[in-house]
Amino acid sequence: MNQKEVSELRRRFRPDKNAISRIYGCYVNGGGEIVSELDESLGTMPQEEAEKYLSLLKKALSGTLGKNLIDIVFSTRQVADSPEHRLLSDLRHSGLKDRSLRQAFYQRVIGSLDLEGNYLLLLAGDEYDVPRRGTDDALQPGDEVFSYFVCCVCPVKNGRNELGYFPGENEFHSCAAAQIV
């Protein structure tokens, strides 16, 4: 991918531009065990929550190519015979809907990471076509539809104590924020 293509994907992670229907993921504890799974419709969740998920996905594509975003080149043999490539291709073709493929992917990612503490794996898939300009300079649908998915590894940290207002008591008290992604 080049910087223009990455920028195009980043622009899609906005509430008014995305075509992501579901967010998938799992919450992993410090021992590498899946504690909880996530399978949520982006369209039915509150707008503020949806924007937070989209923001996390957008952050996964931040940085510059070659520095924060690294292009991993696969040899022809790796692509043709690799179980990893088959898993990624099957996930993309299923639109992330196949739970057993997602489970296998989670296990591969968890097994390859060496992170301390809890983290959240987020997955989202999308399809789009790149519009083209017609002879009348109007935008027309593109000839090709591209499908992709993004995976984010989000560390989860403990929140700090805050001062919060309790309306029932009409007082302020110390309260601890839960875990923050």
Side-chain angles (χ1 to χ4, degrees):
M1 294 184 79
N2 59 39
Q3 193 66 42
K4 183 178 176 183
E5 293 166 338
V6 170
S7 296
E8 176 63 30
L9 293 182
R10 284 179 49 87
R11 279 192 291 276
R12 295 190 59 77
F13 294 129
R14 293 194 336 222
D16 60 330
K17 292 231 180 203
N18 82 76
I20 297 169
S21 60
R22 299 194 77 74
I23 297 283
Y24 302 98
C26 65
Y27 180 59
V28 182
N29 67 16
E33 301 165 335
I34 295 176
V35 175
S36 176
E37 285 194 47
L38 174 71
D39 180 353
E40 297 284 330
S41 169
L42 198 63
T44 60
M45 66 177 59
Q47 183 176 353
E48 184 177 308
E49 193 174 322
E51 288 174 2
K52 289 194 184 288
Y53 279 115
L54 291 171
S55 173
L56 288 169
L57 294 168
K58 190 174 184 176
K59 262 188 198 175
L61 295 175
S62 64
T64 56
L65 291 173
K67 193 169 186 177
N68 300 47
L69 298 172
I70 301 167
D71 188 20
I72 301 173
V73 180
F74 293 96
S75 70
T76 304
R77 183 171 174 262
Q78 285 175 306
V79 172
D81 299 336
S82 165
E84 292 88 2
H85 184 266
R86 265 182 294 198
L87 175 62
L88 292 173
S89 293
D90 291 346
L91 265 172
R92 187 179 53 138
H93 291 305
S94 76
L96 301 176
K97 292 180 177 100
D98 188 324
R99 186 174 187 275
S100 62
L101 289 173
R102 288 194 317 266
Q103 287 287 326
F105 179 76
Y106 297 153
Q107 293 305 323
R108 296 289 286 191
V109 171
I110 292 167
S112 67
L113 291 176
D114 185 24
L115 292 177
E116 291 184 24
N118 303 338
Y119 55 93
L120 175 66
L121 288 178
L122 280 181
L123 282 172
D126 187 12
E127 290 184 346
Y128 72 99
D129 63 347
V130 178
R132 59 183 170 79
R133 295 225 180 256
T135 54
D136 60 352
D137 209 31
L139 286 178
Q140 299 175 348
D143 298 332
E144 248 184 294
V145 174
F146 297 95
S147 63
Y148 68 94
F149 70 91
V150 175
C151 176
C152 305
V153 179
C154 309
V156 176
K157 299 177 180 172
N158 290 328
R160 61 180 196 259
N161 285 338
E162 302 280 342
L163 192 61
Y165 179 69
F166 291 79
E169 301 171 19
N170 235 6
E171 297 175 347
F172 288 89
H173 296 288
S174 178
C175 57
Q179 297 192 336
I180 301 168
V181 177

